[in-house]
Amino acid sequence: MYKSTIGLLVCLSSFLGYAQQDSLTRKVKAALADKFPSTRVLNMEYKQLAPYNTTMRVAGSQESQQYRIKQLEQFRFDGNFELLKRRQWVLSTSLHYQLTSFNGGTAVQKPFVINSFSGDFHYQSIGMNLTHFKRLFNKAAVFNATISVDGSEQHFERVKGALSGILVVKHTVETTISLGVIAIIEPSVQVPVLPVFSYVRRFQNDWELDMTLPQRIYLKKQFLEHSRLSLGSQLNKTSFYIYDNPAHTYEFRQLEINSGLVYKRIFGGAFIGTLKAGMQNVFESRIFEKEKSFKNYSVDNTPKPSFYINAGVSFNPFYKK
C-alpha cells in the first residue's frame, strides 16, 4: 500500500502549482502514470527470476535449511478508476492482483510452516482512495486517505488503511522538491509512520534525476520521440497468504530491491511497453502468523541475489509527452 500512496502524493504534488484547477487532474494523472505503472488505468506485468539459493530459519533457533529455487515467476494486474471528481476532491478505486509461482525443487522439512515452496500463490486487493488538494502555508499540498481489503483466492484476510500528506517546498522548471509523511494503519506493518522525500532535477539534453525516497531512485534519459532509458533501483514487495490447516493462516512478505535498466516505449499514444532487467536483492523476507506482526515471525528467509527480467504493457490515456 505504501508504494502506491507515495507515488500518488508525490506526483500529485508536482503539479499543484498550476493555476487552472480544470487542467490539474489531467496533469496529475499524466505525471502519476508516467512514474508509477501500477497507477495507470490498466497495467499488466510478467517477471521471471533466474534460479537462486535461499536459506530458511525457524525463529528462536539455529535450525535452518538451504534449498534451491529452480524457477520463480510473477504475474500482476493493476486497475485504477476514477469514481467521482470535484474541484478539490477526487474519489477513486484501485484493484490489484499478483500470482507468484514457485518451483522449489525440494521439500521443506518440519518444523517449517510450509511443506514446499512449489506451487501457485494468489494475492489480491481492492481499495478506495480519497484525495484532497489545498494550499498550506501558501504552498501546494495534497492529502490522501486510503482503505483497502486484501486476501487470496480463498477469501479476504485483512482490512488496511493509510493517511498521508505532502507539501511542495520548491517547484521550478528545473527542480521539484516535496516533503511528506505516511501513516499506515495495519497491525503487521514494519514501519507504521514513514517520511517521504521527493527530488526531481531536470538537466540539459533530456537527462533527469528522479528520487522518491525511500521507494526509488532513477537517472533517466529521453531519446527519440517516445522512448526512454533509465538506470536505478526500486523497492518492491511480494506478499501472499499461506494456509497450514484451517486453523492457521500465515503471510509471506518480502521486501526486495530491483536494480538495473528500464526501457520504456510509447505505442499508439496510449499504450506503454516496458522492459526491465537487472539484479534483485532481498532486503527482508519472512513468514509470520496473520494475527502477529512482521517482527514476531515464524520463519526467516534469506535468498541470494538473482537476475530478473520484467516485461509489461499498460493502457494510459493520460500519457504526458
Side-chain angles (χ1 to χ4, degrees):
M1 176 186 293
Y2 76 94
K3 183 173 71 173
S4 59
T5 305
I6 290 174
L8 175 65
L9 291 174
V10 171
C11 293
L12 285 171
S13 65
S14 299
F15 289 87
L16 284 174
Y18 286 91
Q20 294 183 355
Q21 190 72 23
D22 292 341
S23 65
L24 174 61
T25 301
R26 179 177 56 84
K27 295 177 183 294
V28 162
K29 290 179 179 179
L32 180 62
D34 178 62
K35 291 176 181 289
F36 297 87
S38 62
T39 64
R40 295 167 187 165
V41 176
L42 297 173
N43 177 64
M44 293 184 293
E45 297 181 36
Y46 171 80
K47 178 180 177 182
Q48 182 169 341
L49 268 66
Y52 63 93
N53 297 323
T54 189
T55 301
M56 293 181 67
R57 181 179 61 84
V58 176
S61 73
Q62 298 300 317
E63 182 177 356
S64 63
Q65 180 180 340
Q66 296 184 357
Y67 62 102
R68 186 168 180 79
I69 299 294
K70 295 183 178 180
Q71 187 177 32
L72 190 154
E73 297 176 286
Q74 287 183 322
F75 170 79
R76 68 174 293 161
F77 167 82
D78 301 283
N80 299 276
F81 309 98
E82 187 178 280
L83 302 178
L84 182 65
K85 181 178 66 175
R86 293 293 183 263
R87 182 177 176 81
Q88 292 184 315
W89 297 88
V90 175
L91 178 66
S92 62
T93 184
S94 56
L95 309 174
H96 171 71
Y97 168 78
Q98 181 167 286
L99 168 66
T100 303
S101 180
F102 286 95
N103 181 357
T106 183
V108 178
Q109 305 299 319
K110 292 294 184 182
F112 295 100
V113 299
I114 59 174
N115 297 321
S116 174
F117 247 137
S118 293
D120 297 336
F121 299 90
H122 304 264
Y123 178 84
Q124 56 191 356
S125 67
I126 180 171
M128 297 289 291
N129 311 291
L130 181 62
T131 305
H132 177 53
F133 312 92
K134 68 176 302 180
R135 297 197 68 83
L136 187 65
F137 308 118
N138 202 30
K139 294 185 181 293
V142 60
F143 301 92
N144 179 263
T146 298
I147 185 170
S148 66
V149 181
D150 73 354
S152 68
E153 78 281 9
Q154 298 190 25
H155 42 72
F156 290 106
E157 295 291 349
R158 277 199 185 99
V159 178
K160 303 179 181 181
L163 299 173
S164 46
I166 200 161
L167 184 71
V168 181
V169 297
K170 182 178 181 179
H171 181 62
T172 66
V173 175
E174 296 83 12
T175 305
T176 301
I177 301 176
S178 304
L179 298 173
V181 64
I182 298 175
I184 303 176
I185 308 168
E186 200 264 296
S188 69
V189 70
Q190 296 98 302
V191 183
V193 180
L194 190 69
V196 178
F197 172 74
S198 172
Y199 176 79
V200 178
R201 174 66 176 178
R202 303 165 192 89
F203 304 98
Q204 296 180 352
N205 301 321
D206 294 322
W207 285 93
E208 181 180 297
L209 177 63
D210 183 0
M211 295 195 313
T212 303
L213 302 180
Q215 201 264 331
R216 55 184 265 154
I217 177 170
Y218 279 105
L219 181 63
K220 302 177 179 179
K221 170 64 175 176
Q222 191 80 25
F223 64 97
L224 302 178
E225 185 179 0
H226 297 298
S227 297
R228 186 173 69 197
L229 191 64
S230 304
L231 174 65
S233 298
Q234 179 170 322
L235 179 66
N236 292 321
K237 185 183 80 168
T238 296
S239 180
F240 53 79
Y241 291 97
I242 301 172
Y243 302 99
D244 181 32
N245 301 322
H248 292 88
T249 299
Y250 295 86
E251 181 181 349
F252 173 92
R253 186 182 297 175
Q254 177 172 287
L255 297 177
E256 58 232 13
I257 299 175
N258 292 334
S259 302
L261 292 170
V262 180
Y263 172 74
K264 187 182 80 169
R265 173 73 179 177
I266 309 299
F267 300 94
F271 293 92
I272 304 172
T274 306
L275 184 63
K276 306 176 184 179
M279 294 298 296
Q280 175 173 291
N281 292 271
V282 174
F283 180 66
E284 282 186 308
S285 180
R286 291 175 177 175
I287 299 173
F288 59 96
E289 292 186 50
K290 190 188 78 168
E291 293 77 13
K292 299 181 179 180
S293 67
F294 185 83
K295 294 181 179 179
N296 189 12
Y297 61 91
S298 300
V299 176
D300 182 71
N301 184 38
T302 309
K304 296 292 185 180
S306 178
F307 176 80
Y308 77 92
I309 186 169
N310 179 303
V313 61
S314 305
F315 173 66
N316 176 29
F318 311 108
Y319 168 61
K320 174 177 69 73
K321 294 183 179 180

